[in-house]
Every structure is written in C-alpha cells, then in structure tokens.
Amino acid sequence: MGEYQGDVTVIADGAEHPAAADLRSWAEQQEAVSLAPEEVAGLTDWNGKIDIVAGEDAAWGVMEAEERLLRMPDGRTGDFVVSRRYFGTGILLITGSGDPPF
C-alpha cells in the first residue's frame, strides 16, 4: 500500500534519536482474514527497518524504552515495537501499531 525510505526521528521515553528508515504498509484482504464483527475490513499494518544514527548503545536504549514513537519529517507519528535487533549496529526491525505515519 505504501512505502517510505528516508530520515525519521525515533522518540524513546522522550529522548530523540535521528535514524534512517525503510518502511512498508499494506491493507489486509477481507477474503484472507476472517474478521470478528467488531473489526473493520481493510485494516492497515506496517513494519520495516530503522537504523539509529548514534549506533548500538542508542538502539539498545530504544529497545528498553517503555514508550516508542516514530516521527516522520512532516510531524506525523506512529507507535511501534521492536521485533528484532542486529547486534553491533543501530539497526532495529520494527512493527507498527495503528495507522502508518507515512
């Protein structure tokens, strides 16, 4: 559905970290997913990779944070969780929560 590659700001427990992002979003297909009556068809999921400029220590801080936001250059934000970390780098694989901010 959508893609974004470029600069972002990761906010972890209030601390801001510049990062590069490679993100994707897509809408679920109604035929492929049986939805409960209270759910809405066409829900959008998003995920991708972020590379924290400050490196491994900053990435570790993002992983340990209780609150994480991804802020786009235009100011839109999205909550996310860390799915995986590449040791020795600032690279984190993330899964978004809610609507994609891009």
Side-chain angles (χ1 to χ4, degrees), residues 10-17 61-69:
V10 176
I11 305 167
D13 289 341
E16 296 189 5
H17 305 279
V62 171
M63 285 187 60
E64 290 184 330
E66 290 188 29
E67 294 182 359
R68 295 173 211 86
L69 281 176

Side-chain angles (χ1 to χ4, degrees), residues 34-98:
S34 60
L35 298 173
E38 66 275 4
E39 293 182 53
V40 179
L43 296 175
T44 303
D45 291 322
W46 63 280
N47 67 13
K49 174 176 69 173
I50 55 175
D51 189 354
I52 309 293
V53 172
E56 184 176 19
D57 289 340
W60 187 256
V62 171
M63 285 187 60
E64 290 184 330
E66 290 188 29
E67 294 182 359
R68 295 173 211 86
L69 281 176
L70 187 69
R71 185 173 65 214
M72 307 304 290
D74 66 3
R76 291 181 289 170
T77 61
D79 295 325
F80 69 91
V81 296
V82 176
S83 310
R84 177 173 286 163
R85 175 175 179 231
Y86 288 89
F87 288 99
T89 73
I91 298 174
L92 302 172
L93 297 183
I94 65 170
T95 301
S97 175

